[in-house]
Amino acid sequence: MIGMAGICFMAACLCFTEEGSLVDQLKTESAKKFRLVLTRQYMPQLSFVAEGRDDQTLSDVLLSRVEQEVPIWAYARGRSSYATVAESSLSNEEIIALEGKDEPEVPGDVLDAAEQENSRIVAAEAAAENQEAVQKVEDQVLVEETLSDGKVQEISREKLNDFDYLLQNFYNVDSTTTITGSQLNAQELLGMDLTIKTPADQPQILIYHTHSQEMYADSDPNDVMTGVMGAGEYLKQLLEGYGFSVIHHMGQYDVGDRDHAYSNAEDAIAQILEENPSIEVVIDLHRDSVERHMVRNVNGVEMAPVMFFNGLSYTNALGNITYLDNPNLKGNLAFSLQMQIAAEEYYPNLTRPIYLKGYRYNMHFREKTLLVELGSYTNTQGEIYQSLVPLADLLDKVLHNKS
């Protein structure tokens, strides 16, 4: 393994050329393979990170490693990343708008006025009008073949207590934020009791969609039930099969104003929870915007990957964002980590690393809140529905303490 000085030198070189023509030349498939070869040869313990996170380059891995070892580097890096956009000078309203811009818009996300009105009508009549279309996709799902008979592997709890190991193998931390070992204490987070206490004769789980218009490769742009909304309805059915009582809220908060989708949804979600205080679990189901076609083989079945997402209410530029305070942050982190470790043990290859970013994303309502990125716009509905089967099983394992 090369020394810390070598890592710093390589990271410095990468930073120096970050916006130059050299990086432009490196954005090729062969260059990616070359970087992985270098990683395997000189930093074998990092090769898992570089290869396991297809959306992370070697420069990302190196810089992350340096920031962990040299705190002053992380400080300087955080400062320099805001050279063009001074986040600390933005108003509260502008920061909230940035929260809504977390996922880039892709073709099919923004609808014109006529399509917006049609989407509202379709959503309102979804149960009656879309059952046949949803059933066709559901019939393709191989439920029995997808479910795991038991643990495929055991993740060492002793290793998880090593903050460096935990961070490198199970998380992807956005460069705009920072997390500490006191926040990511695996023993504490994995030891939290997240079992459902509410009896199933009352609502227990709420599923909703901040970005309701997110579609898939074979979705009908005029039918929201062929996108992430339909995925939410199928997840509801699967969870009810495990005995959960589920509400699927189909409000649309990103139509015509995606930037403020989180703030648009906040009051409505708060009202639902006020009217249904028995709800313990909140799931905000999304679809990512990764441009490549991501497919994972899990138990011999091809499906879309799942990614859990946490907002830390903290950015390097602003520090703690007090007006986006989250008293349930520890519970949120515990929920995503318990789900991630269960996925690694029962359904290896299903999940991408947990993504940590700076804002709140309406995860403050309940301790057991999960923001899920289900595949990307390049995935098909069939691939999405396949991945919902193990996702529902993992929720049952964690919420019923079966894992």
Side-chain angles (χ1 to χ4, degrees), residues 323-363:
Y323 52 90
L324 292 178
D325 181 48
N326 183 358
N328 289 310
L329 177 58
K330 182 186 292 186
N332 297 165
L333 291 171
F335 197 13
S336 60
L337 181 58
Q338 290 189 24
M339 289 289 292
Q340 184 79 6
I341 298 304
E344 289 289 333
E345 294 186 328
Y346 287 92
Y347 299 99
N349 204 36
L350 172 66
T351 57
R352 298 158 64 195
I354 300 170
Y355 200 93
L356 303 179
K357 203 162 184 181
Y359 306 115
R360 186 174 65 182
Y361 307 100
N362 285 340
M363 299 187 72

Side-chain angles (χ1 to χ4, degrees), residues 91-137:
S91 68
N92 293 6
E93 176 64 21
E94 289 170 323
I95 291 294
I96 290 172
L98 282 177
E99 189 177 41
K101 289 180 178 178
D102 174 67
E103 297 168 276
E105 294 176 356
V106 295
D109 280 350
V110 182
L111 310 180
D112 60 29
E115 290 172 328
Q116 291 172 18
E117 180 59 28
N118 183 64
S119 290
R120 293 190 189 95
I121 295 173
V122 170
E125 301 175 350
E129 295 184 0
N130 293 287
Q131 188 58 43
E132 182 179 351
V134 171
Q135 188 63 48
K136 286 180 180 179
V137 179

